[in-house]
């Protein structure tokens, strides 16, 4: 990530009302309206990662969970799903 790509403000969790810094990226798509390769992203703090992930999983939308670059969670992250055809592995 270059200096131009680094946000000037910390990224915030996507959970309603949460103002905590995000540590996780939940990548998802709705297969009924999105192309298979399309990914939307919700950000999550450690507290809301399970809640947001469960919401997306229950609908069949969650594709992968990854730590944000530079996050302290980078060391211990695991994929939640297998890569889809044409999806880039990180």
């Amino acid at each position: 990530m270059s200096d131009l790509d680094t946000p000037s403000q910390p990224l915030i969790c996507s959970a309603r009302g949460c103002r905590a810094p995000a540590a996780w990226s939940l990548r998802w798509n709705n297969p009924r309206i999105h192309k298979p390769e399309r990914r939307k992203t919700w950000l999550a703090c450690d507290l809301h990662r399970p809640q947001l992930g469960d919401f997306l999983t229950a609908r069949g939308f969650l594709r992968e969970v990854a730590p944000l670059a530079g996050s302290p969670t980078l060391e211990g992250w695991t994929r939640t799903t297998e890569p889809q055809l044409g999806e880039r592995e990180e």
Side-chain angles (χ1 to χ4, degrees):
M1 199 183 252
S2 73
D3 289 339
L4 296 175
D5 295 333
T6 306
S8 59
Q9 299 293 320
L11 298 174
I12 301 299
C13 179
S14 298
R16 183 177 296 190
C18 185
R19 302 305 304 156
W24 296 94
S25 171
L26 287 78
R27 298 177 187 149
W28 64 277
N29 78 355
N30 179 340
R32 290 183 292 173
I33 61 175
H34 300 130
K35 293 181 180 181
E37 65 277 2
R38 169 102 189 259
R39 292 293 179 268
K40 299 193 73 150
T41 301
W42 283 356
L43 301 176
C45 64
D46 287 332
L47 178 66
H48 289 113
R49 177 184 171 204
Q51 176 187 357
L52 294 173
D54 289 348
F55 178 89
L56 293 168
T57 298
R59 287 150 182 82
F61 295 173
L62 188 62
R63 301 296 173 246
E64 67 181 358
V65 174
L68 289 178
S71 136
T73 57
L74 185 58
E75 295 298 318
W77 87 281
T78 59
R79 277 181 116 42
T80 58
T81 61
E82 293 299 315
Q84 302 296 311
L85 183 61
E87 180 179 324
R88 192 184 80 187
E89 258 193 85
E90 297 177 24

